[in-house]
Structures are given as C-alpha cells and as structure tokens.
Amino acid sequence: MGAAAIDLLYWRNVKQSGAVFSSVLLLLFSLTQFSVVSVGAYLALAALSASISFRIYKSVLQAVQKTDEGHPFKAYLEMEIALSQDQISKYADKILLYSNTCMKELRRLFLVQDLVDSLKFAVLMWLLTYVGALFNGLTLLILAVVSMFTLPVVYEKHQAQIDQYVGLIRTQVNSVVGKIQAKIPGAKRKEE
C-alpha cells in the first residue's frame, strides 16, 4: 500500500481523510437507496452542472472585465490522459499473477491437498453463509470502509493492549487446533 493511502487511513491529514471517508460513505449509502445507474447519472449531472456553471461564470467575468483568459479548463483539455501500453501490460500481469495464485489455492482447498486447510476453508464458508443471511454485499462493503478508516487509528493508540489480547486468543486457538488435529486421523501437518 502506498504512503498516501496509509496517511489517508491513519488520518494524518484530517481534512483529506474526512473528505475521502465521507465521500465514499455517501456513495455507498446512496447505492443502498438507488441503483448504480441512478447514482452514476446523478454524480455525472452534479459534475456537469458544476463545470458548466463555472464555465459560464468565467465567461461572464471575462466579458465584464474585458479580458481574454480563454477557456477556464484549457490546461485540463490539453492534458494527456491515455494509458500507455506499459501501464496496461503491468496491470494485466498483476491481475494474471493474482488470478493464477487464487486458482491454485482454490484447487488445493477443494481437492483436499491438506485436510486441515480444507476443513478451515469449509468452516469459513459455513460461517459466511450466516454472514450472507444477515448482511448484503453493500452493507459488508460499508462496514469494511468504516473499519478501514477506524481500526488502524484504534490499533495505533491501543497497540499494547490489543497485542496482548490477540496473543492470548492465538494461544487458545492453537491449543484447540492442536487437540483437534491430534484426534482426527491424517489431520496432523507434516513437519516442514
């Protein structure tokens, strides 16, 4: 993750983080009430209204002051916005690598290469059926955004206590997993 994203999530610049957080949250809450097409159309209309109003304002200002500043968005109109072949290739390579890694991992889990990992995956999928019954995808996305903007700051302020409790939980979970692995034949991991 880039330094700018980390600064955003840790609220280093409160105004910038607040603007991004509130904008994303407003967009997601809008999507809970309206379709994606409607939200996209409303956002496009708002942006178009703002730019047309600014263009008319600048034209009137130029006419009144008898100046010839030209088009107010001239710098942006002349800016190059095309993607290069290198950029597309770089992102395509990353997507390909990620896709291949995911497919290999899913193959390993579904074909039970390691019984313990496949059982963990089964438990996770079973738990996700309950999560899916309680929340829709958009609600989970809203919770994820809120968590992304709050949990890093909370962890940064209370790191010692959180690490202590996570250590206790990890010890208990490892103990339970060890007991289960001891009772299930063929579930013991091979020593690496």
Side-chain angles (χ1 to χ4, degrees):
M1 197 176 343
I6 290 173
D7 288 346
L8 202 64
L9 295 178
Y10 278 93
W11 294 77
R12 305 279 191 251
N13 182 345
V14 176
K15 287 182 182 178
Q16 189 179 22
S17 293
V20 170
F21 178 62
S22 59
S23 299
V24 170
L25 219 51
L26 180 65
L27 174 68
L28 292 175
F29 281 130
S30 298
L31 288 173
T32 63
Q33 299 300 314
F34 305 105
S35 71
V36 173
V37 173
S38 295
V39 171
Y42 284 131
L43 288 174
L45 278 173
L48 192 57
S49 298
S51 61
I52 288 173
S53 299
F54 184 71
R55 170 81 193 271
I56 292 172
Y57 167 74
K58 283 299 217 178
S59 297
V60 169
L61 198 61
Q62 287 175 13
V64 169
Q65 294 178 348
K66 306 232 189 291
T67 60
D68 190 24
E69 296 176 10
H71 196 288
F73 299 118
K74 184 177 181 180
Y76 297 109
L77 288 170
E78 294 172 352
M79 191 182 299
E80 183 65 36
I81 59 168
L83 290 173
S84 71
Q85 185 66 31
D86 292 338
Q87 289 173 319
I88 292 172
S89 177
K90 181 178 87 171
Y91 292 123
D93 289 344
K94 286 184 179 181
I95 290 170
L96 182 66
L97 178 67
Y98 180 74
S99 299
N100 287 338
T101 304
C102 286
M103 285 190 302
K104 287 177 185 175
E105 185 64 20
L106 288 173
R107 178 185 65 188
R108 190 182 75 77
L109 291 170
F110 279 107
L111 298 179
V112 195
Q113 182 177 353
D114 183 351
L115 182 62
V116 174
D117 286 346
S118 293
L119 288 174
K120 287 180 190 177
F121 184 66
V123 169
L124 176 65
M125 292 300 108
W126 179 70
L127 290 174
L128 284 178
T129 62
Y130 287 102
V131 171
L134 294 174
F135 305 106
N136 66 19
L138 204 51
T139 305
L140 291 174
L141 192 57
I142 290 170
L143 289 173
V145 167
V146 170
S147 297
M148 280 175 33
F149 278 90
T150 55
L151 292 180
V153 176
V154 170
Y155 180 72
E156 188 176 54
K157 289 184 179 180
H158 305 287
Q159 186 174 358
Q161 297 98 329
I162 292 171
D163 286 347
Q164 177 186 355
Y165 288 117
V166 167
L168 291 172
I169 292 169
R170 186 174 287 145
T171 303
Q172 289 295 325
V173 167
N174 288 341
S175 170
V176 170
V177 168
K179 289 177 185 177
I180 291 173
Q181 284 178 340
K183 294 184 188 254
I184 297 176
K188 291 185 182 176
R189 285 189 172 258
K190 296 176 184 92
E191 296 299 322
E192 298 180 52

